[in-house]
Amino acid sequence: PPSPSPPPPSPSPPPPSSSPPPPSPSPPPPSPSPPPPSLSVSTTILGSFECAQNQAANLGTWHQRPEECFMAAMQNSRCGNTFMWSPYYNYAWGCRCCKPGDEGDVTKFNRNWEFRIGSTDGAAFIPPPPSPSPPPPSPSPPPPSPSPPPPSSLTSNEVNCGAHYSNDGT
């Protein structure tokens, strides 16, 4: 009987490729951050006067509307929610904010200033609290008391003059 034929040879692996495998797909780019929520800002004229205390800051002459001035005041930690705006002289005087808690001084009347209070989303703006001041340094400890003098062999009423006397008078 004829012998069985050998099994067919295994297929040879494909020749190595000279090009790299295709890259895996890149992840999609991150979606852009959502826009910040819109902030409704309004200002109200309280009168024609100035800050009661000294002004906190001159916020510049480039603001076109009092609401822009108030938005600048919200960014300045020295400002409260009241400010001075001049529709006639803003180009020269600028917009100026008052210190937190300053409600103005009606005795400082000036018809060219509008003393205003600003609010955001219908609520009065409350400025961030100022940074706390560092505590005062601790007082230095008192200097040490002087040491007592070393004990002496002489009593308080004896004086050593270098002379020597005997009891017999010599």
Side-chain angles (χ1 to χ4, degrees):
S3 65
S5 57
S10 303
S12 56
S17 170
S18 61
S19 61
S24 51
S26 302
S31 53
S33 338
S38 62
L39 185 65
S40 172
V41 173
S42 63
T43 67
T44 303
I45 299 173
L46 300 178
S48 292
F49 48 91
E50 299 179 16
C51 302
Q53 304 168 18
N54 291 332
Q55 300 158 20
N58 183 336
L59 301 169
T61 59
W62 55 88
H63 308 291
Q64 299 299 309
R65 300 180 11 248
E67 291 77 16
E68 293 173 15
C69 173
F70 176 62
M71 289 171 50
M74 290 190 323
Q75 302 300 312
N76 188 315
S77 63
R78 295 180 296 165
C79 298
N81 62 341
T82 55
F83 62 100
M84 298 162 40
W85 169 264
S86 176
Y88 309 109
Y89 296 106
N90 183 56
Y91 69 91
W93 293 354
C95 124
R96 301 173 185 209
C97 69
C98 303
K99 294 178 180 178
D102 192 326
E103 296 179 5
D105 184 348
V106 295
T107 65
K108 293 182 178 179
F109 175 80
N110 184 329
R111 67 178 175 196
N112 296 309
W113 280 119
E114 292 176 355
F115 186 82
R116 292 176 168 257
I117 187 167
S119 61
T120 57
D121 294 324
F125 168 70
I126 299 172
S131 302
S133 301
S138 301
S140 303
S145 302
S147 305
S152 170
S153 60
L154 302 175
T155 60
S156 62
N157 60 357
E158 295 178 317
V159 177
N160 184 355
C161 305
H164 177 73
Y165 297 98
S166 64
N167 284 341
D168 62 3
T170 55

